[in-house]
Amino acid sequence: MTLLAVEGLTLRNTAGTTLVDDVSFTVSPGDRTGLIGESGSGKSLTALAVMGLLPPAITATGTVLLDGADMIRAPRGRGDVATVVFQEPLTALDPLMTVGRQIGGPLRRWQGLRGDAAKAAVREALSEVRLTDTDRIARSYPHQLSGGQRQRVAIAMALVCHPRLLIADEPTTALDVTVQAEILELLDRLVTERGTALLFITHDLPVAARVIHGTHVMRHGRIVESGPVAGLLSDPEHEYTRTLVEAARRFDAALENTRRE
Ligand SMILES: Nc1ncnc2c1ncn2[C@@H]1O[C@H](COP(=O)(O)OP(=O)(O)O)[C@@H](O)[C@H]1O
Ligand SMILES: [Mg+2]
C-alpha cells in the first residue's frame, strides 16, 4: 500500500490566496522523495498538511492519506507512522525540558515505555545519532548543546519510535557546512538501515541529490516538474528547474575558485 498519497492538495490563507495549488504525489514504503523549490514555494505547508499540523488560518482541500488515515478531514498525531525534523531544532525542542525527557515523550506515548526501560531506550536513541556521553546529553537542556548536537537530538526524537516515514524539512539549512555534511550522512545511514521512507525538503538541489532518488520541483505552490534527481541535474525540462541547476553550478564554481586561491 502507498504509505503517503497526496491528491489535489490545495491550501489557502484567510484572504483566499492560494499557497499550495493542486499538489499530488505519493511516497511508498522505503522511497526517498524530494520536494525542492525556492523559499515560499509551499514546501513546508505541504509537510504540515501531511502531518496534520496545519495552522488554523489555512484551509485545505484535496486529500492526504497517511497510512490510510485522512489527515485533512480528521487530522491527528500519527507519530507512530510519520515524524518530522525541522530546519531549526530549537522549534522542535522544548527549551524547558531535558533532552532525555523529550525523547522519552514519544516512547511513552507510542510504546508505553516508562522508567528504566525508557531511560535505556533514550540512551540507545542518542548513541544511534552518534552522540557520545549520552547520560550527560540526556540531562542537558537544548541551549546547553551545539546546533549540530541539537539537530542530532531532534533526529533521535523523530526516529525513536521507528516511524515508516521521516519528513526532513530543510534539516541542514541552519547548520555550518561541515556539520551539514555530517547530518546528511547520518540521516542517509539511519533511513537506509531501517528502511524508513524519506520525504526530503530543501531549496538546495545538490544537497537533495546526495540523499534522494526522485524529486518533485515546486514553484509558487505547484509541482512544475518531477523525475529522478540525476535526470533533473543533467537535463532539466522546466525553465525554473534549469535556474535551480544553474544557481547550484555557479555556487560550485565559486567554491572551486576559493579552494584554488
Ligand atoms: N501560517 C501561515 N499562514 C499564512 N500564510 C503562510 C503560513 N505559513 C506559510 N505561509 C505562506 O505560504 C507560502 C508558502 O510557505 P512555505 O510552505 O513556508 O514555503 P517554503 O517552505 O517552500 O519556503 C508563503 O507565501 C508563506 O508566506
Ligand atoms: Mg520551508
Side-chain angles (χ1 to χ4, degrees):
M1 189 176 71
T2 310
L3 184 53
L4 171 64
V6 177
E7 183 62 46
L9 178 68
T10 300
L11 304 175
R12 295 191 177 86
N13 64 12
T14 44
T17 309
T18 303
L19 305 172
V20 167
D21 191 1
D22 196 21
V23 160
S24 303
F25 65 94
T26 59
V27 179
S28 296
D31 271 2
R32 291 174 176 219
T33 305
L35 278 185
I36 304 180
E38 68 196 353
S39 172
S41 54
K43 308 180 299 293
S44 292
L45 283 181
T46 302
L48 291 176
V50 168
M51 298 297 297
L53 292 173
L54 280 175
I58 303 287
T59 51
T61 55
T63 322
V64 173
L65 291 179
L66 177 61
D67 192 34
D70 185 335
M71 302 305 279
I72 297 297
R73 265 147 229 98
R76 65 195 168 91
R78 293 297 313 276
D80 52 335
V81 178
T83 54
V84 61
V85 173
F86 294 101
Q87 170 172 339
E88 176 42 71
L90 281 180
T91 59
L93 301 175
D94 183 335
L96 300 177
M97 213 191 263
T98 63
V99 161
R101 276 191 62 205
Q102 298 195 54
I103 298 179
L107 284 169
R108 197 167 42 247
R109 175 158 185 207
W110 302 109
Q111 296 184 351
L113 285 190
R114 280 157 213 281
D116 287 345
K119 274 192 190 138
V122 165
R123 274 198 300 273
E124 164 81 20
L126 288 172
S127 60
E128 283 207 40
V129 294
R130 296 288 192 269
L131 285 165
T132 49
D133 202 358
T134 52
D135 285 334
R136 185 185 59 82
I137 300 265
R139 283 195 308 271
S140 304
Y141 289 87
H143 74 269
Q144 295 172 311
L145 306 177
S146 72
Q149 286 174 324
R150 282 198 289 264
Q151 195 59 303
R152 283 173 197 269
V153 168
I155 292 169
M157 199 166 139
L159 292 179
V160 71
C161 289
H162 292 254
R164 288 194 281 144
L165 171 66
L166 176 69
I167 301 180
D169 187 353
E170 308 260 12
T172 63
T173 305
L175 304 171
D176 295 341
V177 176
T178 48
V179 182
Q180 270 189 23
E182 289 169 17
I183 296 288
L184 273 185
E185 202 186 297
L186 176 73
L187 273 176
D188 190 20
R189 183 172 56 76
L190 288 173
V191 298
T192 304
E193 280 171 9
R194 298 162 174 225
T196 316
L198 179 67
L199 180 62
F200 192 89
I201 298 177
T202 183
H203 66 282
D204 192 331
L205 195 50
V207 164
R210 291 167 65 170
V211 283
I212 57 175
H213 306 141
T215 193
H216 306 282
V217 178
M218 276 187 87
R219 187 184 198 200
H220 300 328
R222 289 174 163 266
I223 291 180
V224 295
E225 185 166 359
S226 300
V229 172
L232 289 186
L233 278 171
S234 61
D235 188 20
E237 248 173 51
H238 193 279
E239 176 67 37
Y240 174 63
T241 314
R242 235 171 277 148
T243 59
L244 287 179
V245 173
E246 285 304 320
R249 288 215 180 99
R250 275 199 303 277
F251 179 74
D252 271 354
L255 206 63
E256 272 305 304
N257 284 339
T258 49
R259 277 197 196 115
R260 262 189 234 119
E261 274 160 17

